[in-house]
Amino acid sequence: MPMPRRAVSGHPGAPRAYAVPTVALAVCASLVLALAGCGQPTPSADTVAPTVSVPVQPTITADTPSDDVPDPADTTAPSDGGLFDAASSLTSTSCTAKGESWSFTGTLTNADSEEHTFTVAVFLVKTSDGSDVAGKEVDIKLAAGAATPVSIKNFHAGPSAGVECLSGVTVKGL
């Protein structure tokens, strides 16, 4: 139902026009209807499922030790196959910093029946991430059954906070 007409200029003989709210309402309604028809998706005939199925992968199982692995207690002594683990050859180790000067001491023993050249290594690593700070290696030739003190003096100059000293020994040529 249209709104009543009124005079635009307020004069009794002036032509009459529709009121502004009626025109605005008509324009808004036509805009809403025009926009409602735009951009609506159309259903497709595509039969692809919206999800993907992936088969379950097998879990990794623990490795079971075999019978031919040597007992760790047997690897510290010489064997007939030439296997010699030097891990127990370095004893009484001490790695300390005096001020900012780092030194290492220990005792190296050759418990094998043959002469060997040992490499004694000492490293400083950051305790926060394990990265290397400094390191030093020395080679020591030691007769069968012999023992000798090992000293690596002043191998690094730096603060002792936030670092850890690690040492180890290997046998050259094995």
Side-chain angles (χ1 to χ4, degrees):
M1 169 179 204
M3 290 183 66
R5 295 179 185 206
R6 63 184 171 107
V8 174
S9 65
H11 300 289
R16 300 194 183 262
Y18 290 103
V20 174
T22 306
V23 173
L25 183 61
V27 169
C28 286
S30 63
L31 255 173
V32 168
L33 290 174
L35 290 175
C38 295
Q40 295 296 318
T42 57
S44 68
D46 196 4
T47 59
V48 175
T51 58
V52 176
S53 175
V54 177
V56 176
Q57 299 297 317
T59 57
I60 297 174
T61 58
D63 188 21
T64 56
S66 65
D67 292 337
D68 59 2
V69 175
D71 182 7
D74 294 339
T75 59
T76 58
S79 68
D80 54 357
L83 177 64
F84 180 73
D85 181 10
S88 64
S89 298
L90 186 61
T91 58
S92 304
T93 61
S94 173
C95 185
T96 57
K98 288 186 181 175
E100 290 195 351
S101 182
W102 285 86
S103 295
F104 173 83
T105 59
T107 302
L108 183 64
T109 305
N110 183 358
D112 197 9
S113 58
E114 297 178 27
E115 178 180 82
H116 291 292
T117 300
F118 294 85
T119 300
V120 176
V122 60
F123 297 98
L124 287 179
V125 295
K126 290 182 183 177
T127 55
S128 61
D129 62 4
S131 61
D132 289 336
V133 174
K136 178 79 175 175
E137 295 181 355
V138 293
D139 289 340
I140 301 170
K141 192 173 196 175
L142 201 54
T148 188
V150 177
S151 181
I152 306 172
K153 295 195 182 286
N154 305 319
F155 69 90
H156 177 69
S160 60
V163 294
E164 178 181 16
C165 187
L166 304 174
S167 61
V169 62
T170 58
V171 177
K172 285 192 159 208
L174 288 183

